[in-house]
Structures are given as C-alpha cells and as structure tokens.
Amino acid sequence: MLDAENFEIGIYGQWHLDYLQVHCKLTYINMIIIGELSRYISGVDRQAQERFELFVAQMIDAQGVTEQLKSENLWSRLEE
C-alpha cells in the first residue's frame, strides 16, 4: 500500500519496501501515516538505480569494453 501520489517504483524500491514491511514495521506504518512512504521508496529506488548504472559504467571502463568489441562477437567473449 503506497500513498495516493504516483511515484515510479522499480525493483530496488520494491525490495526496500518489502524489507520495511517485514523488518521495520513501525517505520513502515509511521511513513504511511505521515504520507512519506512513496516519496521515500521512490528516492531509494532512484539512488540505487543511479549507483547500479555508475557501477556498470565503471566495470565497462575497467574491463576495456568498447562498442567495437561488443559488436564483433559477444558470445565468443562470454565463452572464455
């Protein structure tokens, strides 16, 4: 159950919502009462998505992956 406002909630937000419902029931209920649950979960989801995208970009740089390398033959690289 989320607030009346419509916020985008992806997988990371859903995972955190599930965590609050199971492990932090009082916090979950208080956030519903004050009307901050959707905004909070949406913020958590956005931050987690940004961190994931940054991590992927750093891994691409560290591994030396280029568009040319990706287009040559992805499957042969995965088999190594």
Side-chain angles (χ1 to χ4, degrees):
M1 177 175 165
L2 295 175
D3 309 343
E5 297 180 53
N6 290 325
F7 287 94
E8 287 271 333
I9 297 177
I11 190 67
Y12 304 111
Q14 187 62 47
W15 287 343
H16 193 65
L17 179 62
D18 292 344
Y19 172 81
L20 287 176
Q21 289 172 334
V22 173
H23 300 287
C24 302
K25 292 178 184 177
L26 185 59
T27 301
Y28 172 75
I29 292 168
N30 284 337
M31 292 184 93
I32 289 174
I33 291 170
I34 63 173
E36 290 293 320
L37 183 62
S38 290
R39 188 179 337 276
Y40 172 74
I41 293 296
S42 179
V44 167
D45 184 71
R46 182 182 39 77
Q47 289 176 7
Q49 186 64 40
E50 289 171 0
R51 288 181 184 172
F52 175 76
E53 290 169 4
L54 177 62
F55 174 72
V56 169
Q58 290 172 343
M59 291 297 295
I60 287 171
D61 289 342
Q63 298 293 322
V65 176
T66 63
E67 291 301 318
Q68 180 184 359
L69 181 62
K70 287 192 283 186
S71 67
E72 285 175 357
N73 192 350
L74 179 62
W75 291 111
S76 66
R77 183 151 171 95
L78 290 175
E79 292 172 354
E80 294 176 356

